[in-house]
Amino acid sequence: MPMRLSGLMSGMDTESIISQLVEAKKTKVTKAVKAQKTLKYKQDAWKPLNTQIKNFYLKTLSNMRYEGSFVKKTTKVSNSSIVSVITGESAMNGMQSLKVNQLARSGYLTGGKMELIPGAEKRDENGEIISDKVTADTKLSELGFDLSGSTGTINVKSADGLTPIKVDGSTTVGSFVSALKSAGLNANFDETNGRIFVTSKGSGAANEFEISSGDAAGRAALEKLGLSYGAEAEESIASKKTALYSSLKSLASSNADLQAALQNINIPMKDASGNVISVSADSLTDEQVKALTDDNIVKIVSELQRNTTIPDDLKADLEKWESSAGELVKDMRRFAETKKTAAADAEIELNGATYTSTSNSFNINGLTLTVNSTTAPGEEVTITTQDDTDGIYDMIKNFFKEYNTMINQMDKLYNADSAKGYEPLTDEEKEAMSDSAIEEWENKIKESILRKDSSLGTISSTLKTLMMEPVEVDGKKMYLSSFGIGTLNYFTAPENEKNAYHIDGDSDDAETSGNADKLKTMIANDPDTVVKFFTGLANKVFDEVGKVMEGDEYSSMYSVYDDKKMQEEYDDYTVKIKELEKKLADYEDKWYAKFAAMETALAKMQSNASAVTSLLGG
C-alpha cells in the first residue's frame, strides 16, 4: 500500500473519513467471505459422512448381497500343537484323520571352529598376544591355507544354480561369506564361536544346497574354513591318514629304534565283529589306518615324544612329522564339528493319502493346514469341519453395528440445535475474541451446518424406510422383527439413537441382552431362511441407495450430496470476492484522489493569499 500524507492543508482527518466511507462499502465483501466460509464448513462436514456411507455401501452392504458371504465354516483339531487350520469357503463338512510324518526344513550347514595358525595372532607392541580369535578380516593363509600361492575353486550348488567361487591365501572369511550370499545362500560368520553358518534360502528338498571343492586347493580351503563335509571330506581325511602313516613307516624303516618304539605302541581298534582289540602301531592295515581316530594319532605322537631311544639325527624329521600329525588332528576335529542337515519336504498323511510340501503349509480341499510338529508313532490328529453358525450371527451383528453408527451420526447432524445468529468470524472479529471463544463460536456453526439438510434428509429417510419394509422369503413376507431385531421404544431410546437396531439376546447390548435370542435360534434351525432374508434386504437397500449415489450434473458418482455444485459455488465465491475487493480498493483510491485534489487547491489558495498580502505590505 502506498504511503499517503493527507489533511496537511485542510487539517481534516481524511484517513478516518475515508475509512468510514470504505467500511460502508465493505459489507458486500464481508458477506461474500462469510458465505464462502459457511460453504466450506458444509463441505468439510459432508466429506467424512459421505465416506462412511460409501464404505458401508461398497463393502458391508455389497458383501451381504451374496449367499456365499454367509457360508461360514469352522474347523477344530484334536491337537492344536501339531497342526493349525484355516477354513476356506469350499471346505467340506466332515471328520478327517491326520498324521505328520516329517516337517519341512531348510538345508543347514554348521561349520567347524576355525583356528589361527601359530604366528597369526594379534600382538601388542611388546609382542604379547592380545587376541587369537578368527575375525571377518582373517585371511585363509592365517588359517593354514598354503599351497604356494595357488588359487582354488569352491563350487556352490543352490536353487539358483551352480556358482564357482575362487579363493586364495588372501581371501578373507568375510569376503568368502559374502560370496556364499551372492551364490544364493544365507550365510553368516559368528565371530564369538569362530564358525560359519550356512542355510538355504527356502525350505524343502528343491532348495537343498551343496558346497564342494573344484580342485585340491579348493578342498584345502574348505577344510580350513570348517566347511568340509560328506563323502568328499571323509576321503580327504582318509587320504591324509594314509599319507601320514606312510611317512612314519618310511622313517621307521631306516631306524631300528623308531621301529621298536612303534612296535611298543598299542592302538585300541575294533575287529570285524566290533570287538575292541589292541594293535601295534607298527603293523596297522590300510583299513585300520583309515579308521584311526584323532585320539589314536595323539597317542602315537605322545608316545614317540616320551621315547628317549630315538637318535638325535632323526628328531628333526620326526618333529616335522609330528607337526603334520597335529594339523591332521585339527582337520579331523574340525570335520567332526561340521554338521550338514539336508533340506527336506514336509510330509503328511490325510485320510491315508500322502502329501508333500516344500513348506509346512498344505492347501487341501478348502483347508489350509500348517503343521508345527510330527505325530508320535500310531498317533492321529482328528480334524472336524462344520458350519459356523456363530460366523453368520457375527456377520449380521457387525452389519447392524456399522449401520447404527452411520444412522446415529446422520440423526445427530440432521437434528442438531440451530445456530441462528452465528456467522463465520472475520479476521477483525477474531482479534477482539479469545482463542477459546473463537473455537466455541466456530464449533457451534460446524455442529449445526447440516441441520435439516435436504440431501441428508433424503439418504436418511431412504435407509430408514427400506429397513422397515418386508422381504419376501419363499412367498412369505418377513420383517427384521421376525428375527428378533428392532429399534428401542421411541420415548425411552437415547437422543439420536431412535433409529438404531438392536438384536434380542445380544450379550453386548445392555438394552436387549435379557431377551430371548431369536436370531441365533433361527440360524441354528433354519439358516437358509436367515440367509435368504438378509441377502434380499441387502440387495433391496443396495439398489435403492445406489440410485441416490449414481451421480448427476450436481454430484459425483458415490456421492449423496451435491459435491460438484458446492465446489462450483465455492470457486464462484473466490472470483466474486476478488472482484469485490478490487472494486473496494478502487473506491478507496477514488476518495483519496478527491481529498488530494482538495488539499492541492487549498495549498494554491493559501499561496495566492500570501502573495497578495505581501504586495499590500502585510
Side-chain angles (χ1 to χ4, degrees), residues 203-480:
S203 60
N207 289 301
E208 173 64 319
F209 71 89
E210 293 179 7
I211 300 177
S212 59
S213 62
D215 47 39
R219 182 164 56 252
L222 283 176
E223 290 173 353
K224 299 308 178 185
L225 288 165
L227 298 177
S228 182
Y229 66 93
E232 180 184 65
E234 291 177 355
E235 290 174 6
S236 176
I237 294 293
S239 176
K240 287 183 178 183
K241 290 178 186 178
T242 300
L244 183 72
Y245 187 69
S246 177
S247 64
L248 180 60
K249 291 285 288 181
S250 177
L251 289 174
S253 66
S254 61
N255 187 278
D257 291 330
L258 178 57
Q259 189 167 5
L262 285 178
Q263 291 172 350
N264 292 325
I265 299 175
N266 294 315
I267 305 299
M269 307 290 291
K270 288 185 179 181
D271 61 16
S273 301
N275 299 315
V276 177
I277 59 175
S278 183
V279 181
S280 170
D282 182 55
S283 57
L284 296 174
T285 66
D286 288 345
E287 290 304 315
Q288 288 172 336
V289 169
K290 293 178 181 179
L292 285 171
T293 67
D294 55 338
D295 289 337
N296 293 153
I297 297 174
V298 169
K299 181 178 181 179
I300 294 173
V301 172
S302 178
E303 293 287 345
L304 291 177
Q305 288 176 339
R306 285 200 299 266
N307 193 296
T308 59
T309 63
I310 299 174
D312 292 339
D313 61 345
L314 193 61
K315 285 185 177 180
D317 290 335
L318 191 58
E319 286 176 358
K320 185 176 180 181
W321 179 88
E322 290 171 351
S323 176
S324 297
E327 287 301 311
L328 175 57
V329 167
K330 289 181 180 179
D331 287 345
M332 291 173 66
R333 290 176 175 174
R334 195 177 298 117
F335 169 66
E337 293 173 344
T338 305
K339 304 296 181 183
K340 174 67 167 64
T341 302
D345 291 336
E347 180 182 287
I348 65 171
E349 292 179 43
L350 186 63
N351 303 322
T354 301
Y355 300 87
T356 60
S357 172
T358 57
S359 70
N360 287 319
S361 291
F362 296 80
N363 294 306
I364 304 172
N365 196 26
L367 296 180
T368 300
L369 310 175
T370 301
V371 293
N372 306 308
S373 63
T374 57
T375 50
E379 180 186 9
E380 289 187 351
V381 177
T382 301
I383 300 174
T384 306
T385 303
Q386 58 191 17
D387 291 330
D388 182 12
T389 55
D390 287 339
I392 298 174
Y393 181 88
D394 289 341
M395 183 175 180
I396 295 171
K397 179 178 175 178
N398 290 334
F399 168 81
F400 281 108
K401 182 180 179 180
E402 187 173 345
Y403 173 84
N404 289 344
T405 300
M406 180 178 65
I407 205 68
N408 288 346
Q409 178 67 6
M410 289 184 189
D411 285 348
K412 178 183 177 182
L413 294 172
Y414 190 79
N415 299 324
D417 293 336
S418 173
K420 187 176 181 180
Y422 286 79
E423 292 182 339
L425 298 169
T426 62
D427 292 338
E428 292 83 356
E429 290 170 333
K430 288 182 179 180
E431 290 177 359
M433 300 171 66
S434 66
D435 290 343
S436 59
I438 293 171
E439 183 178 5
E440 183 178 353
W441 183 284
E442 291 183 340
N443 285 342
K444 178 68 175 177
I445 300 171
K446 293 175 181 178
E447 289 169 0
S448 65
I449 199 69
L450 294 183
R451 171 181 163 81
K452 307 305 179 186
D453 185 273
S454 59
S455 296
L456 179 56
T458 297
I459 185 63
S460 177
S461 297
T462 299
L463 287 168
K464 294 171 186 175
T465 300
L466 291 168
M467 296 295 281
M468 291 188 292
E469 291 180 349
V471 175
E472 190 170 306
V473 178
D474 296 332
K476 178 183 178 181
K477 288 185 177 180
M478 302 186 75
Y479 299 81
L480 284 172

Side-chain angles (χ1 to χ4, degrees), residues 9 36 47 49 52 86 130 147 160 185 229 250 252 257 267 287 294 318 321 360 398-399 439 511 546 557 571 589 595:
M9 300 302 300
Q36 188 183 45
K47 286 177 182 177
L49 179 59
Q52 188 177 14
I86 296 175
I130 58 176
L147 292 177
D160 293 345
L185 300 176
Y229 66 93
S250 177
D257 291 330
I267 305 299
E287 290 304 315
D294 55 338
L318 191 58
W321 179 88
N360 287 319
N398 290 334
F399 168 81
E439 183 178 5
E511 301 291 342
M557 185 70 173
D571 294 340
D589 290 341
F595 277 99

Side-chain angles (χ1 to χ4, degrees), residues 532-551:
K532 287 178 181 179
F533 175 85
F534 282 99
T535 53
L537 175 65
N539 274 290
K540 181 189 289 188
V541 176
F542 187 87
D543 291 342
E544 292 303 316
V545 173
K547 294 176 183 178
V548 180
M549 303 183 77
E550 61 186 1

